[in-house]
């Protein structure tokens, strides 16, 4: 079972965002707010006493309320409530009950979900009398809080976890995908394409340790985390935008992922910067998939992909094991195919080959080609065993460590991949000497 989802709903300016941020333990806004621009629902993970749950924030807009924005807000609220297990209906203790509160509460009564009616901006016991004056006429149980100074927060969390089950899968177990590439190759377009397919649930996860917003997308009921989507996702939507590409950020995202999608612009071919980024993925020992984007722009014939792959593997010689997929992020052609590849790469990354299998393999390999003599002595490999995964690592025992040269290791790697695949993931060999 997945985490329970808690939606925070309420009018604008009642403090939803503040409450959300304190629940996900993040003090700054998780996504930039631009006046007059609505934003999607924002998701964070929160925990209290070892119970973990999703928190969904529904707003932070309505700077200039108009019919259009109002409709958008309402549909976001309804969508959030429908997918939530628990709802926090947040009200404002300073402004009292307004007609929109009553309308929202009437809407919520239709659902059988657990609803907490929380009155914000009650920042001490002396303010609690406001509840009696204003809110008790609503005829619901009320919880006073101050999202800002923390008053009543513990009580609220205790109430929540009393109904949140404790056996929950961690977000950290979801496959993490980083979309990397130089500017203008189509990263934001791809991100938006992945997040806007009807069958995907769109959400964002506030990174708790750094200033990043990850998104979750669901493909055929499987969830994936898209790492650090805040910048790249917005970009496509905004007319004027800051270039969010930065090397440091790219490096961090690579570190954080299980699989890096290296996006190239097929219409421009491979340039130095692409190579550099691929190099970082390789050095970080991460799973990888190469995406040839803007495939729609090419004059294609039967050999186009083949030719392009040849050029690619020539320049990415260290990534010959990495699968290539041609896509068009703009027209969404073949983009969902990458989920199958992501699954494949992750399973390759965690694959284990048994020691008897490996030693059978070793006999075959040595029969083909022995390590060359070293100082006129025969170099023997006694034994091979897989000692790790993610990425897969293999330990070989030899009579002479110096005798096992880089070139022979490369040969071993090619043979290993021929037999066992390990598509999209680096493999490592360690050599140990034994008498
Ligand atoms: P980013 O900097 O990597 O995030 O790149 P963007 O997603 O902003 O895309 C840069 C430009 O390429 C935009 O004008 C996109 O519309 C365009 N673009 C992205 N993907 C495709 C594609 O598959 N085909 C075509 N023809 N254009 C694309």
């Amino acid at each position: 079972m997945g985490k329970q989802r808690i939606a925070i709903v309420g009018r604008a300016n009642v403090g939803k965002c503040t409450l959300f941020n304190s629940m996900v333990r993040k003090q700054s806004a998780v996504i930039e707010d631009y006046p007059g621009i609505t934003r999607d629902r924002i998701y964070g993970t929160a925990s209290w006493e070892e119970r973990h749950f999703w928190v969904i924030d529904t707003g932070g807009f309505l700077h200039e309320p108009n019919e259009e924005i109002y409709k958008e807000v309402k549909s976001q609220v309804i969508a959030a409530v429908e997918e939530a297990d628990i709802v926090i209906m947040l009200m404002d203790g300073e402004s009292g009950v307004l007609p929109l509160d009553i309308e929202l509460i009437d809407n919520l009564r239709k659902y059988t979900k657990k609803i907490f009616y929380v009155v914000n901006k009650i920042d001490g016991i002396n303010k609690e009398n406001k509840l009696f004056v204003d809110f008790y006429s609503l005829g619901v149980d009320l919880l006073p809080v101050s999202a800002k100074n923390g008053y009543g927060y513990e009580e609220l969390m205790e109430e929540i976890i009393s109904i949140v089950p404790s056996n929950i899968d961690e977000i950290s177990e979801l496959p993490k995908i980083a979309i990397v590439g130089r500017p203008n190759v189509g990263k934001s377009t791809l991100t938006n394409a992945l997040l806007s397919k009807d069958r995907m649930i769109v959400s964002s996860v506030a990174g708790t340790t750094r200033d990043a917003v990850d998104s979750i997308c669901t493909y055929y009921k499987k969830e994936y985390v898209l790492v650090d989507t805040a910048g790249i996702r917005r970009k496509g939507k905004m007319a004027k935008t800051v270039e969010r590409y930065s090397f440091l950020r790219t490096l961090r995202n690579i570190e954080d992922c299980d699989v890096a999608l290296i996006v190239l612009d097929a219409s421009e071919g491979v340039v130095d910067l692409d190579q550099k980024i691929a190099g970082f993925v390789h050095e970080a020992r991460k799973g990888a998939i190469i995406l040839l984007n803007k495939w729609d722009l090419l004059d294609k014939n039967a050999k186009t992909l083949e030719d392009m792959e040849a050029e690619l593997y020539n320049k990415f010689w260290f990534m010959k094991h990495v699968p290539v997929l041609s896509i068009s992020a703009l027209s969404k052609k073949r983009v969902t195919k990458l989920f199958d590849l992501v699954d494949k790469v992750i399973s390759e990354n965690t694959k284990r080959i048994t020691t008897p299998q490996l030693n059978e393999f070793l006999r075959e390999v040595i029969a083909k080609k022995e390590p060359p003599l070293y100082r006129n002595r025969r170099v023997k490999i006694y034994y091979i065993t897989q000692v790790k995964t993610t990425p897969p690592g293999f330990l070989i025992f030899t009579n002479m460590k110096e005798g096992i040269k880089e070139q022979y290791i490369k040969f071993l790697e090619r043979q290993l991949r021929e037999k066992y695949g390990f598509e999209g993931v680096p493999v490592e060999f360690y050599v140990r000497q034994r008498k």
Side-chain angles (χ1 to χ4, degrees):
M1 196 181 96
K3 286 189 187 64
Q4 297 268 299
R5 295 169 190 254
I6 304 176
I8 306 175
V9 303
R11 289 186 283 115
N13 294 322
V14 295
K16 294 187 294 297
C17 196
T18 314
L19 181 63
F20 173 86
N21 285 335
S22 45
M23 287 175 85
V24 305
R25 272 172 305 172
K26 203 164 177 300
Q27 297 312 307
S28 58
V30 283
I31 233 174
E32 307 90 306
D33 279 323
Y34 298 96
I37 287 175
T38 59
R39 61 179 194 199
D40 294 323
R41 309 194 285 287
I42 294 188
Y43 293 54
T45 47
S47 46
W48 189 262
E49 312 246 312
E50 307 294 308
R51 309 287 171 91
H52 309 276
F53 40 86
W54 290 106
V55 190
I56 312 165
D57 176 16
T58 50
F61 25 78
L62 274 186
H63 295 279
E64 297 163 273
N66 64 34
E67 195 58 25
E68 193 71 0
I69 294 177
Y70 178 74
K71 265 199 249 149
E72 165 70 21
V73 173
K74 197 157 172 191
S75 74
Q76 285 290 339
V77 170
I78 290 167
V81 169
E82 297 207 324
E83 76 177 296
D85 305 291
I86 298 167
V87 178
I88 293 177
M89 165 65 201
L90 195 64
M91 291 169 281
D92 184 337
E94 263 165 22
S95 65
V97 180
L98 295 188
L100 191 52
D101 295 320
I102 296 171
E103 190 188 324
L104 272 168
I105 290 173
D106 282 343
N107 277 309
L108 291 176
R109 284 190 217 271
K110 290 195 283 247
Y111 298 95
T112 52
K113 308 172 194 258
K114 175 70 189 173
I115 297 166
F116 292 102
Y117 296 91
V118 180
V119 182
N120 189 27
K121 308 187 190 175
I122 305 288
D123 49 20
I125 193 142
N126 53 334
K127 295 270 179 70
E128 284 204 24
N129 61 352
K130 289 198 173 211
L131 297 179
F132 293 97
V133 180
D134 238 347
F135 290 87
Y136 276 103
S137 63
L138 294 172
V140 294
D141 285 335
L142 297 165
L143 288 162
V145 298
S146 166
K148 218 178 218 160
N149 80 3
Y151 182 78
Y153 184 72
E154 266 188 54
E155 288 78 2
L156 171 64
M157 296 309 281
E158 292 297 330
E159 289 283 338
I160 289 172
I161 63 163
S162 72
I163 60 164
V164 169
S166 59
N167 58 325
I168 310 129
D169 20 1
E170 279 295 324
I171 180 177
S172 59
E173 287 165 16
L174 298 178
K176 291 200 178 54
I177 303 173
I179 297 177
V180 298
R182 65 191 163 85
N184 287 319
V185 292
K187 296 180 298 298
S188 347
T189 311
L190 175 62
T191 307
N192 287 319
L194 292 177
L195 292 176
S196 69
K197 281 265 171 186
D198 288 345
R199 59 174 167 275
M200 296 176 179
I201 299 166
V202 181
S203 53
S204 296
V205 183
T208 44
T209 53
R210 62 185 181 89
D211 176 28
V213 176
D214 300 341
S215 298
I216 305 256
C217 62
T218 307
Y219 182 64
Y220 288 108
K221 300 212 166 145
K222 248 191 107 180
E223 292 183 313
Y224 300 82
V225 175
L226 299 184
V227 174
D228 194 12
T229 44
I232 52 178
R233 199 176 159 211
R234 287 277 110 180
K235 207 182 135 191
K237 289 186 183 172
M238 308 289 302
K240 264 196 237 148
T241 178
V242 219
E243 179 54 74
R244 293 189 181 282
Y245 179 83
S246 97
F247 241 97
L248 203 62
R249 192 152 196 158
T250 303
L251 290 182
R252 249 182 353 199
N253 294 346
I254 292 170
E255 286 301 327
D256 278 0
C257 78
D258 299 308
V259 180
L261 306 182
I262 304 169
V263 186
L264 307 183
D265 183 337
S267 67
E268 293 185 346
V270 181
V271 306
D272 286 354
L273 192 50
D274 296 326
Q275 214 173 1
K276 203 164 167 189
I277 291 167
F280 284 126
V281 174
H282 180 67
E283 272 159 34
R285 318 307 284 153
K286 295 293 181 176
I289 295 166
I290 297 169
L291 299 177
L292 292 172
N293 189 33
K294 309 197 187 180
W295 201 244
D296 54 300
L297 293 181
L298 265 62
D299 259 340
K300 290 173 283 282
N301 62 42
K303 278 191 75 219
T304 311
L305 183 60
E306 204 182 306
D307 290 347
M308 191 100 193
E309 278 185 356
E311 184 202 339
L312 192 71
Y313 286 135
N314 186 29
K315 291 199 171 137
F316 289 13
W317 69 92
F318 46 88
M319 282 205 166
K320 292 208 162 82
H321 55 275
V322 170
V324 174
L325 180 68
S326 60
I327 61 165
S328 170
L330 198 61
S331 65
K332 301 187 182 175
K333 257 228 166 85
R334 284 190 299 277
V335 291
T336 55
K337 282 214 186 337
L338 64 88
F339 289 108
D340 292 334
L341 282 177
V342 167
D343 288 347
K344 170 80 176 157
V345 169
I346 286 174
S347 84
E348 293 290 278
N349 217 359
T350 49
K351 187 161 81 179
R352 274 185 188 278
I353 314 293
T354 66
T355 302
Q357 281 176 315
L358 281 172
N359 285 295
E360 175 59 33
F361 158 78
L362 184 65
R363 270 191 293 277
E364 291 164 15
V365 172
I366 291 174
K368 276 188 211 163
K369 185 160 108 186
E370 277 192 45
L373 297 182
Y374 182 72
R375 297 195 174 147
N376 278 331
R377 283 172 59 198
R378 252 185 92 195
V379 179
K380 289 183 209 151
I381 301 177
Y382 300 121
Y383 187 76
I384 179 167
T385 183
Q386 183 172 357
V387 288
K388 69 183 279 290
T389 62
T390 330
F394 301 86
L395 181 60
I396 58 183
F397 291 96
T398 170
N399 61 334
M400 242 185 311
K401 201 171 163 181
E402 310 76 41
I404 307 288
K405 292 281 203 271
E406 179 79 18
Q407 218 168 6
Y408 196 76
I409 295 282
K410 290 248 169 71
F411 165 71
L412 267 182
E413 178 178 338
R414 279 196 304 275
Q415 297 291 314
L416 185 84
R417 288 189 185 281
E418 208 166 278
K419 181 142 187 179
Y420 295 111
F422 292 110
E423 223 184 307
V425 298
V427 296
E428 295 172 346
F429 288 91
Y430 322 102
V431 184
R432 194 172 291 170
Q433 186 156 317
R434 215 165 67 175
K435 280 278 158 284

